[in-house]
Amino acid sequence: ALLVGINYRHTRNELRGCINDVNNQKSILKAAYGFQDCEIMMLTEDESQSNWPNKARIVEGMQWLLKDARPGDLLFFQYSGHG
C-alpha cells in the first residue's frame, strides 16, 4: 500500500486532516486486511524531510508499489491533499 497525505504545512493553502486520513487508513489496512508495516509506504510531512510527498517521492512510491506485483495481489493507493 502507498499512502500519501499532504497538509501543505506553513502555506496559505494548509489543510488539517490529510495526514490523519492516511494514518487512519493504515490502521484499517492492518486490522481489516492483514497488511504489515513493511507492506505500507507512508509519504507525509510527518516523515523525515527526505520522505516528504513531493512528485519524485510519489513516483518512487508508485514504482515500489508495482515492482513485485503479481496476479491476485492486493495493491492499495491513497492520496489525501489538494487536487
Side-chain angles (χ1 to χ4, degrees), residues 27-48:
S27 296
I28 291 168
L29 289 171
K30 291 173 68 176
Y33 297 97
F35 277 70
Q36 302 297 311
D37 283 328
C38 64
E39 298 171 319
I40 302 171
M41 179 183 287
M42 299 280 291
L43 299 179
T44 73
E45 295 143 307
D46 282 349
E47 309 299 316
S48 65

Side-chain angles (χ1 to χ4, degrees), residues 21-35 40 76 78:
D21 291 346
V22 295
N23 285 329
N24 291 334
Q25 187 65 56
K26 180 179 180 180
S27 296
I28 291 168
L29 289 171
K30 291 173 68 176
Y33 297 97
F35 277 70
I40 302 171
F76 188 89
Q78 178 179 350

